Amino acid sequence: MKSNSNLEKILESGKFAVTSELGPPKGPDVSAIEKKAAFLKGNVDAVNLTDNQTAIVRLSSIASAHILIELGLEPVMQMVCRDRNRIAMQSDLFGACALGVRNMLCLSGDHQCFGNHPTAKSVYDIDSIQLIATVKKMRDDGKVICGDDIEGAFEMFIGAAENPFADPFETRVPRLAKKVAAGVDFIQTQCIYDMNRFKEWMRGVRERGLDKKVHILAGLAPLKSAGMANYMNKKVAGVSVPEDIINRMKGVPKEQQAEEGIKICLEQIEEIKQIEGVHGVHIMAIEWEHKVREIVERAGLLPRPAA
Amino acid sequence: MIIAEQKPLDEILAAIGDAKKILVLGCGACVTICFAGGAKEVGILASQIRIASSKAGKDVEVTEDTIERQCENEFFDRVKEKAAEADVVLSIACGVGVQTIIEVFPEKIVFAGLNTTFYGRPKEPGLFTEYCEGCGSCILNATGGICPIARCSKSLLNGPCGGSENGKCEVDPLNIECAWHLIHERLKSIGRLDLMEQVSPPKDWSTSSSGGVRRIVREDLREVKL
C-alpha cells in the first residue's frame, strides 16, 4: 500500500470506486463544509477538495481536507501549480500528510484571468506532471526535489486529471502515458458528455496497456438544466456537450430538466461500468452536493464498500 | 536591448547531430551589439563546428551569413537560397529570431545557438546587466527611474528588504547592487524622498507574461483591420 487510504484500498481490491467533489467556501465558514459534507458522507469513497477553483480565493484545500477528516470523510486534496512554487508546494504536502491527508490530485490550475484576482502573478514553477513526479519521489524515495531526505514517512495516493476532450486529440493518450511514467496512481477525467470520444480515448489507453498501470475514474457532471448544457458546451474550454444531449435537455419542461440531467448521468454510469479499464466514477455535482446520494443510490452503487 | 549568450559548444553540436549542411545564421541587431550572434560570432562558431566535425570524422559543410534583423520577415529574402541548400539552420539570434525562421522557412529544421537572457545594456566593456523585464506597465516614474522589478532580486515594490547591506544585495553582494538602495539615493538627490514612503499596492501583473501571451495591436499601422 502506498497510502493506506480508503480510495486506494477500494481501487486496489478491484471494486468500482465513487468519488465526488466539494467546493470550499469563500471564507473560513466551516459550517458550509459541514453542510456539504453531510450530503456526501457514506455515499462516496472519497471527496475532492478543490484548490481555489476557477482562481477564486477560497478556504484552502489543505484546511478543508483536514476539516473533512474530522467529519469522518476521506479527502482527495487538490493542489494546483498556479499559486505556489516548489518550496511552498512541498511544504504544504508535508503539512497535508501530517494532518492525515492520504489522497491528492495534481493539477495545473485554471488561469487567474478567469478568477477574482486577474491581476495576480502566476507561478507555475512546476507543472502538474512535474508535481506528480515530485510527490512520487517524496513518497517512494523519501526525498524532496533537491534530494534532501524527508523526516518521517510521507504517504500519499497520487492522482491527476486528464481531459480526453481537449485538442489535439492525438496527444491525449500520450499525455496520460506521460503522467503514468511520472508516477500517477489514479486519474479523474474531465466531465464526460461525449461518450463516443471517451470510449475512443479509452481504446487508445488500453492499446498502450495504460489501464493496467493506473486507475481511471470517469468524470461526470450531472446537468441541472438545458442552460447548463449550453454553458458547458460553449464556455468551458475542453468540454463539449453533444447536440443530442443538449436537445434532450431542451426537450423537457424546465422543472423536469434536473431529473432529465440525473437520468442522463445514470445512463452514463451504466455505460461506463461496461468500459474495460474504467475503475470508478468521479461525480462533480457542482453546488448540487445534495443530489449525490440520489445519483449513487439509483446507480446501484450503495452501500459503499468498507475498505 | 536583448542580451544573449552562446550556448556551450557541446550542446550546439548535440542539437545539430548528423546534419550534413548547416547554415549558421547571425543577426545584425541586439546580439551583434552584445557580441553573441553577429557576423564575427557566426564566423567563430562556423569554424568551431567545422573543426569538431572533422575531428569526429564527419563530412559537414558549414555556410555562414548574417542578416540585418532575424525578427522581421523581409530580411530573410537575401538568404533564401542559402537556407534552401542547408539541411539545418543554426540561428544565433535571440529566441525571437529562431522562431521567426520557423515561420519564414517552415520546411527547415532550425536550432538555437544562443540562450536569450534579459533586457539590458553593456554597462562597462564586457559587462552586461539587466535593466528591464518587460512587465508591461512601467513604474519607473515612481521609483526615480530605477526598476525594482528587474533589478531587485525579490522584485519588491516597497523595498529595500532587510538583506540590503552597503548598497549590495544579499543574493550576491559582490555583483548585485541593491535596487532600492539606488532608488533611495536617486530620490534623495532629486528631492523626492516622499516617494519612498508611498505604499505601493499589489501590482497588476496581467500586463506581464502572467496575463497570458501578449500582443499589441496598432490600428493606425494595420493594412487589414482585425
Side-chain angles (χ1 to χ4, degrees):
Chain A
M1 282 284 147
K2 293 161 171 165
S3 68
N4 273 310
S5 77
N6 182 46
L7 182 61
E8 181 184 7
K9 286 176 192 162
I10 284 175
L11 286 168
E12 287 299 315
S13 64
K15 293 176 188 137
F16 195 80
V18 181
T19 57
S20 190
E21 190 169 290
L22 190 159
K26 294 183 196 172
D29 180 10
V30 178
S31 69
I33 296 184
E34 288 170 345
K35 201 174 151 197
K36 288 178 175 177
F39 293 127
L40 301 171
K41 193 171 179 179
N43 301 320
V44 295
D45 305 318
V47 176
N48 286 37
L49 283 316
T50 48
D51 180 8
N52 297 302
Q53 77 271 26
T54 66
I56 287 169
V57 179
R58 290 172 180 276
L59 184 57
S60 73
S61 59
I62 300 177
S64 303
H66 180 60
I67 293 165
L68 222 61
I69 292 171
E70 291 196 316
L71 294 170
L73 288 88
E74 179 167 292
V76 177
M77 182 191 74
Q78 297 194 179
M79 183 177 257
V80 302
C81 300
R82 178 192 60 226
D83 307 323
R84 279 163 287 190
N85 69 8
R86 65 189 79 181
I87 299 171
M89 291 173 100
Q90 293 178 103
S91 166
D92 283 347
L93 284 163
F94 288 167
C97 184
L99 290 170
V101 176
R102 290 294 180 272
N103 308 303
M104 60 128 16
L105 199 73
C106 305
L107 303 166
S108 309
D110 300 316
H111 193 277
Q112 65 273 10
C113 73
F114 300 111
N116 60 359
H117 290 78
T119 61
K121 195 176 195 174
S122 50
V123 181
Y124 297 112
D125 176 24
I126 57 175
D127 65 26
S128 59
I129 292 177
Q130 293 160 345
L131 178 57
I132 293 167
T134 299
V135 186
K136 185 178 161 63
K137 183 173 181 179
M138 290 170 73
R139 183 191 66 200
D140 295 350
D141 303 340
K143 290 180 189 304
V144 286
I145 293 175
C146 67
D148 282 359
D149 290 329
I150 292 174
E151 295 172 28
F154 181 84
E155 295 177 323
M156 198 61 75
F157 196 42
I158 309 168
E162 193 49 64
N163 186 357
F165 310 102
D167 295 322
F169 183 63
E170 311 87 80
T171 67
R172 295 296 146 184
V173 172
R175 192 150 191 276
L176 176 68
K178 211 165 164 178
K179 289 187 177 181
V180 169
V184 75
D185 299 312
F186 71 99
I187 291 287
Q188 292 169 327
T189 74
Q190 176 62 281
C191 47
I192 301 162
Y193 298 104
D194 186 344
M195 194 57 78
N196 291 335
R197 183 143 165 177
F198 178 65
K199 285 179 178 171
E200 195 185 335
W201 179 73
M202 279 304 301
R203 248 196 311 281
V205 169
R206 287 192 303 271
E207 271 168 23
R208 293 186 60 160
L210 297 171
D211 58 316
K212 304 276 186 273
K213 296 177 181 166
V214 64
H215 299 289
I216 293 170
L217 277 66
L220 296 169
L223 294 166
K224 293 184 197 178
S225 63
M228 178 180 170
N230 253 328
Y231 179 86
M232 297 294 277
N233 191 39
K234 288 196 179 132
K235 299 279 178 177
V236 183
V239 173
S240 65
V241 185
E243 232 179 293
D244 59 325
I245 290 187
I246 296 176
N247 289 339
R248 199 172 144 185
M249 291 297 287
K250 275 189 195 155
V252 297
K254 224 172 177 141
E255 62 280 5
Q256 288 168 34
Q257 285 179 354
E259 170 58 20
E260 197 64 22
I262 289 177
K263 273 188 194 156
I264 292 170
C265 183
L266 293 169
E267 290 165 23
Q268 288 173 322
I269 294 174
E270 281 315 305
E271 227 175 326
I272 284 161
K273 281 183 191 165
Q274 308 307 318
I275 303 173
E276 191 192 335
V278 179
H279 297 171
V281 284
H282 176 56
I283 302 167
M284 294 167 270
I286 305 155
E287 296 302 316
W288 223 22
E289 288 87 354
H290 59 280
K291 288 286 184 185
V292 170
R293 183 185 167 86
E294 183 188 333
I295 294 169
V296 180
E297 190 167 33
R298 285 169 68 182
L301 294 167
L302 282 184
R304 297 307 309 146
Chain B
M1 66 179 180
I2 294 173
I3 308 291
E5 61 182 344
Q6 199 180 301
K7 284 180 177 290
L9 185 62
D10 287 345
E11 187 186 334
I12 294 173
L13 294 173
I16 55 182
D18 289 328
K20 293 270 180 279
K21 291 180 176 176
I22 300 155
L23 167 62
V24 181
L25 192 62
C27 174
C30 313
V31 292
T32 291
I33 303 166
C34 71
F35 302 94
K40 188 176 145 212
E41 290 76 29
V42 165
I44 296 167
L45 181 58
S47 301
Q48 287 174 312
I49 294 170
R50 285 187 201 105
I51 293 164
S53 302
S54 84
K55 262 189 179 169
K58 287 186 195 165
D59 185 20
V60 172
E61 186 188 325
V62 185
T63 52
E64 308 170 19
D65 216 321
T66 299
I67 60 174
E68 202 168 334
R69 285 200 288 281
Q70 280 194 28
C71 51
E72 289 189 80
N73 294 14
E74 65 198 73
F75 295 106
F76 286 90
D77 283 347
R78 202 174 56 68
V79 291
K80 232 189 293 182
E81 281 88 36
K82 262 189 187 167
E85 283 165 21
D87 300 332
V88 306
V89 179
L90 173 61
S91 165
I92 54 169
C94 69
V96 180
V98 177
Q99 295 177 72
T100 306
I101 305 176
I102 305 277
E103 293 182 15
V104 176
F105 302 135
E107 71 290 352
K108 281 289 132 197
I109 302 293
V110 184
F111 294 114
L114 300 187
N115 290 321
T116 307
T117 47
F118 51 78
Y119 304 140
R121 69 185 192 91
K123 199 170 180 181
E124 297 162 16
L127 173 66
F128 303 92
T129 54
E130 182 167 17
Y131 278 77
C132 175
E133 66 171 57
C135 72
S137 107
C138 191
I139 57 163
L140 286 172
N141 295 344
T143 56
I146 292 157
C147 179
I149 305 292
R151 297 171 67 185
C152 164
S153 298
K154 297 178 180 173
S155 292
L156 296 182
L157 290 171
N158 294 286
C161 74
S164 177
E165 204 170 64
N166 297 321
K168 298 293 184 183
C169 169
E170 63 179 351
V171 170
D172 182 357
L174 286 178
N175 297 308
I176 303 176
E177 291 176 291
C178 169
W180 278 99
H181 185 103
L182 295 174
I183 292 168
H184 177 265
E185 296 301 309
R186 172 72 185 162
L187 290 175
K188 199 168 156 183
S189 75
I190 60 171
R192 288 304 310 270
L193 271 181
D194 59 301
L195 288 172
M196 283 298 285
E197 296 203 28
Q198 277 186 15
V199 176
S200 248
K203 184 175 164 65
D204 179 353
W205 289 101
S206 65
T207 57
S208 75
S209 59
S210 280
V213 180
R214 295 171 282 177
R215 63 177 199 164
I216 291 172
V217 178
R218 282 277 305 272
E219 288 299 348
D220 56 326
L221 301 175
R222 289 191 65 78
E223 288 161 6
V224 184
K225 294 274 180 208
L226 280 181

